[in-house]
Amino acid sequence: MSFKKLHPLLKESLENEGFETSNAFQKKVLPILKGGSDAYVIAPKGSGKTTALIIATIHKLKAAAFEDSPRAIIVVNDKQSALDLKDEFERFTNTTDLRVYALYDEYDIEKQKTEVYYGQDIVIASPARLSKLYFLNGIHLGEVQLFAIEDADYLGRNNAYNHILRLSESIHKSQFVIISDTMNSKIKNYQNAFMSNAQVIK
């Protein structure tokens, strides 16, 4: 798909970063994500699936901050993954006022509660810390429009699978997206829960 169909501020950021058009895999993924469908996005590393998620997220949020509650939650493996993905998002949000926040275990949870309370649009979080903050009433999930799991191959470790399953039960009317290198048994099991009508894009 052409980037001309994206929000003008997002299009400006893409042009500033030297992106002129989507690659072949992104041409398959972006229309489905932009259309609001739940999806498994399965492809090897380097295929552009993370960039597609970033583009679709910013476009979905209309490239603008809104009120205080997060509207996009992206679950990642750990602190480093959260910080890396935050950096990637900020490459494409620098022409917007979208607020991107990394939520991870190795940080004071009371400070995180305060920082989230003052308003975030996109929260990139490790599963355990997101779950803990939610059950401490430290983050409101009632306005979430997109709930994504990035690089989901880690889900067999550290109870992450169950954290996400419990969190999904608290989120309604959201688009769910799982990004992974392979369709492993853990993420396939989510078809019995919140991914029952998801498209599989390979």
Side-chain angles (χ1 to χ4, degrees):
M1 63 169 277
S2 169
F3 287 153
K4 292 179 182 178
K5 298 178 181 178
L6 297 172
H7 189 284
L9 291 177
L10 173 56
K11 183 172 176 289
E12 181 182 344
S13 289
L14 288 164
E15 290 172 350
N16 291 343
E17 290 294 324
F19 287 80
E20 296 180 358
T21 188
S22 48
N23 65 27
F25 185 69
Q26 291 165 344
K27 284 180 169 67
K28 292 171 59 178
V29 174
L30 281 168
I32 293 169
L33 297 186
K34 279 183 61 190
S37 296
D38 291 359
Y40 287 98
V41 180
I42 311 297
K45 292 188 187 305
S47 60
K49 55 188 186 292
T50 299
T51 301
L53 175 64
I54 292 170
I55 291 170
T57 302
I58 296 169
H59 184 79
K60 189 179 189 74
L61 302 187
K62 299 180 171 55
F66 182 75
E67 296 185 349
D68 298 327
S69 297
R71 292 173 292 144
I73 300 286
I74 301 174
V75 184
V76 296
N77 184 20
D78 53 20
K79 172 183 176 179
Q80 193 57 55
S81 301
L83 293 172
D84 290 347
L85 188 57
K86 181 176 184 284
D87 287 344
E88 279 298 298
F89 260 97
E90 289 177 343
R91 290 176 62 199
F92 302 104
T93 57
N94 55 20
T95 57
T96 78
D97 61 356
L98 284 168
R99 299 155 298 180
V100 184
Y101 187 77
L103 179 66
Y104 48 84
D105 299 278
E106 297 89 346
Y107 190 67
D108 187 299
I109 196 166
E110 292 301 322
K111 290 182 180 178
Q112 289 173 332
K113 285 176 70 173
T114 300
E115 290 163 1
V116 169
Y117 174 80
Y118 282 119
Q120 304 295 339
D121 300 293
I122 301 165
V123 172
I124 302 163
S126 59
R129 181 47 56 102
L130 177 62
S131 180
K132 185 172 183 179
L133 198 64
Y134 175 71
F135 288 106
L136 289 174
N137 295 316
I139 187 169
H140 176 60
L141 302 182
E143 303 301 323
V144 172
Q145 300 173 22
L146 173 69
F147 186 90
I149 306 169
E150 162 66 4
D151 197 15
D153 301 271
Y154 66 84
L155 283 177
R157 303 190 293 273
N158 301 327
N159 207 31
Y161 175 87
N162 291 322
H163 285 312
I164 290 169
L165 192 60
R166 286 193 294 269
L167 287 163
S168 72
E169 294 169 352
S170 305
I171 297 173
H172 307 285
K173 297 181 180 178
S174 175
Q175 179 182 15
F176 291 97
V177 177
I178 295 180
I179 309 285
S180 183
D181 294 349
T182 60
M183 178 63 104
N184 63 58
S185 60
K186 281 290 186 183
I187 63 174
K188 193 171 184 179
N189 283 342
Y190 284 139
Q191 289 177 330
N192 299 320
F194 57 93
M195 296 295 286
S196 55
N197 296 312
Q199 296 192 48
V200 180
I201 312 162
K202 293 184 177 182

